[in-house]
Amino acid sequence: MIEPDKYWIAVGHKIDDISNAQDVITFDWSGNRSDDYIKLSESFYNASQVIITEIIDNYRDNAKCDQWFFPALYLYRQAIELLCKGLLITVVPRKDITAKFTAYKHNIIDLFSEYWNLSSNKPISNDELSWVCSYLTELETIDRESNLFRYPIKDGYLNQYKDDFLDIVDMANSIDQCYSIIYKCVDVKHIPLKYSDDIDLSLKPKVLFFASHGFGNCMLYTSPWDEGYYPHIQGYSNIAFFLLEKLDKNHWSFLTIAFLIRHAIELALKCMLLSRTETNVSEKVQRSKRRSHILYKDLWKSVKDMIEYYAKSMGYDLNVVYCADTYLSELSALDKQGDKFRYPTNYGLEYHLQLKRIDYYQAIYWLIGIFNFVNGCSDMLDAAYEYECDMRSQYL
């Protein structure tokens, strides 16, 4: 069992430092873009299955039910999007794929429909096709920007259902079946039927299933204190730590885990944007930066002065803040907008991650160190806010 709390930032450390030659992996892109999209899709899918199994096996654990479920659903959703893009690449000439990806972005129903209309390979029955299209249509309706499971409930469609309960088993079965049916379209070398054993078309093609109670289900809780960031920060970071011991060591699993940690870092920075301390970020900056994915320039730079102020006030060594600045600058250069760990290529099908060779565990620990620092800063600001409240109550 890894101990994530022991990893921290340190001067001079880089994500591509090599500590153990036995743990070195290379980013073995095949050159076949469709294959690479499908393989990364399977990595996200397998990770989601591991997490859902853990949640269901530990249905009495409220933290896992409430905090791990949304990241697991996002992993499923991302797996389906990658799968549809991988399929679309096989039927659209490369000169036209940029326009298709630009037009459809995260719209899975359009990606799949375009593939289906152009493909001569029709391994899905009419009933299965109807089921998948119904499911993807609802998914597009409620999650047009692929943000539903990545950001606080308050920011999206589910805010109208706050304090209700989501049925974990039915929702997991439904999204899992969507992936399994679409996967039947892949080339035979990927074994198209490998996930199709449990397809049951009597299951309703719905994204959202609600439960009447919270036992073993996910509560749509929205905190008035942190705008709902805390459960997402905990969920994305904790499943990354959990998966580190569950997935095989290769570049596909690295991308999956790296995405989860990077997203947890982004969420923690956004949570600090909303700090209610006396020295804080202006509402204007909050509004302009809250929906940005740019870690260094937009998020870290917006909160850095506030962090320095309170770190100095509490007697902390500011050198660690300067070290964090270097780390976050490097991470942002590597994955500026949160897409390099999620997709093999850009819209023009050019491989875009600059890493070539890394020490698998050392690179992940480097990312965990950034998360621990940023999350620790968030805790520091919470402590400062409580202290300021106590001081006001004593003198008012």
Side-chain angles (χ1 to χ4, degrees):
M1 183 73 176
I2 73 161
E3 300 176 53
D5 290 346
K6 75 178 186 180
Y7 300 105
W8 197 247
I9 56 178
V11 174
H13 285 193
K14 302 287 186 180
I15 192 171
D16 53 359
D17 287 344
I18 304 296
S19 295
N20 188 341
Q22 293 181 333
D23 292 329
V24 170
I25 62 168
T26 57
F27 287 82
D28 297 322
W29 303 114
S30 69
N32 183 319
R33 273 67 172 178
S34 175
D35 282 357
D36 289 334
Y37 267 83
I38 291 169
K39 288 177 182 177
L40 186 55
S41 166
E42 286 197 86
S43 179
F44 275 81
Y45 174 73
N46 291 332
S48 63
Q49 286 193 309
V50 169
I51 297 302
I52 286 294
T53 299
E54 178 70 12
I55 295 171
I56 293 174
D57 287 348
N58 295 273
Y59 60 91
R60 290 185 175 89
D61 188 329
N62 289 335
K64 287 183 178 177
C65 290
D66 294 343
Q67 296 175 6
W68 290 28
F69 186 49
F70 271 56
L73 287 176
Y74 180 76
L75 291 173
Y76 269 121
R77 191 210 186 283
Q78 180 65 12
I80 295 170
E81 181 183 329
L82 287 165
L83 178 57
C84 289
K85 287 181 173 177
L87 290 171
L88 189 59
I89 291 169
T90 65
V91 296
V92 173
R94 182 165 181 178
K95 65 182 178 63
D96 299 326
I97 200 68
T98 300
K100 297 293 184 183
F101 279 7
T102 302
Y104 299 144
K105 293 184 173 66
H106 307 294
N107 187 323
I108 302 177
I109 182 61
D110 281 355
L111 289 165
F112 176 73
S113 296
E114 182 79 356
Y115 162 76
W116 188 258
N117 291 334
L118 294 174
S119 177
S120 59
N121 179 33
K122 306 288 187 181
I124 297 175
S125 71
N126 289 335
D127 288 341
E128 289 171 334
L129 179 63
S130 176
W131 196 98
V132 163
C133 288
S134 293
Y135 185 90
L136 294 181
T137 297
E138 180 182 330
L139 184 61
E140 173 61 15
T141 300
I142 66 178
D143 192 20
R144 187 176 302 275
E145 302 296 329
S146 187
N147 289 333
L148 185 70
F149 307 124
R150 281 197 291 162
Y151 296 104
I153 294 166
K154 184 176 179 180
D155 288 344
Y157 180 87
L158 289 172
N159 188 47
Q160 63 187 303
Y161 300 112
K162 58 186 177 183
D163 298 331
D164 285 345
F165 305 100
L166 295 178
D167 189 308
I168 288 176
V169 172
D170 281 349
M171 287 182 62
N173 283 338
S174 187
I175 197 167
D176 184 273
Q177 178 156 291
C178 179
Y179 185 90
S180 298
I181 292 174
I182 297 173
Y183 198 88
K184 292 172 72 173
C185 298
V186 303
D187 187 270
V188 65
K189 63 187 172 186
H190 294 289
I191 314 177
L193 300 180
K194 70 168 72 173
Y195 307 117
S196 63
D197 288 346
D198 297 324
I199 290 176
D200 176 10
L201 297 182
S202 67
L203 180 66
K204 293 182 179 178
K206 294 173 55 182
V207 176
L208 300 178
F209 288 83
F210 291 93
S212 59
H213 58 85
F215 186 69
N217 291 310
C218 176
M219 183 178 183
L220 296 174
Y221 173 70
T222 55
S223 168
W225 307 116
D226 66 358
E227 300 286 322
Y229 278 97
Y230 178 79
H232 283 69
I233 294 168
Q234 294 300 112
Y236 274 87
S237 58
N238 284 335
I239 70 169
F241 307 151
F242 178 78
L243 288 171
L244 186 55
E245 297 184 338
K246 298 294 182 179
L247 302 182
D248 292 338
K249 181 180 67 179
N250 54 51
H251 97 254
W252 307 108
S253 63
F254 173 81
L255 292 171
T256 304
I257 294 170
F259 157 72
L260 291 166
I261 300 172
R262 187 219 178 270
H263 190 61
I265 293 168
E266 179 183 324
L267 290 167
L269 289 170
K270 288 181 174 180
C271 187
M272 284 191 283
L273 274 178
L274 305 175
S275 175
R276 294 164 297 151
T277 49
E278 291 178 359
T279 297
N280 54 31
V281 178
S282 69
E283 291 185 9
K284 180 180 178 181
V285 173
Q286 288 180 21
R287 287 193 300 271
S288 66
K289 306 300 184 183
R290 183 175 178 178
R291 297 189 183 278
S292 173
H293 306 297
I294 300 176
L295 288 182
Y296 185 75
K297 182 180 177 181
D298 285 356
L299 300 177
W300 168 246
K301 285 291 190 179
S302 296
V303 301
K304 183 182 176 184
D305 288 348
M306 176 177 60
I307 290 170
E308 287 184 348
Y309 173 83
Y310 282 103
K312 184 177 181 180
S313 298
M314 295 179 176
Y316 294 125
D317 182 1
L318 291 184
N319 285 322
V320 72
V321 181
Y322 308 145
C323 180
D325 186 272
T326 301
Y327 268 66
L328 284 158
S329 177
E330 182 177 341
L331 177 56
S332 190
L334 185 65
D335 188 9
K336 183 177 181 180
Q337 302 240 40
D339 59 344
K340 302 293 177 62
F341 297 135
R342 287 193 293 158
Y343 302 97
T345 71
N346 59 21
Y347 283 177
L349 297 189
E350 298 166 332
Y351 292 105
H352 58 188
L353 187 64
Q354 297 305 308
L355 292 174
K356 303 297 182 184
R357 180 174 177 271
I358 59 168
D359 179 329
Y360 182 86
Y361 295 107
Q362 185 65 31
I364 290 175
Y365 297 153
W366 185 88
L367 291 166
I368 292 174
I370 303 176
F371 170 75
N372 284 337
F373 169 79
V374 173
N375 201 41
C377 288
S378 183
D379 291 341
M380 177 188 71
L381 294 177
D382 288 344
Y385 173 70
E386 290 181 11
Y387 175 80
E388 290 169 347
C389 287
D390 288 343
M391 290 299 99
R392 284 195 297 268
S393 66
Q394 290 185 31
Y395 292 101
L396 290 179

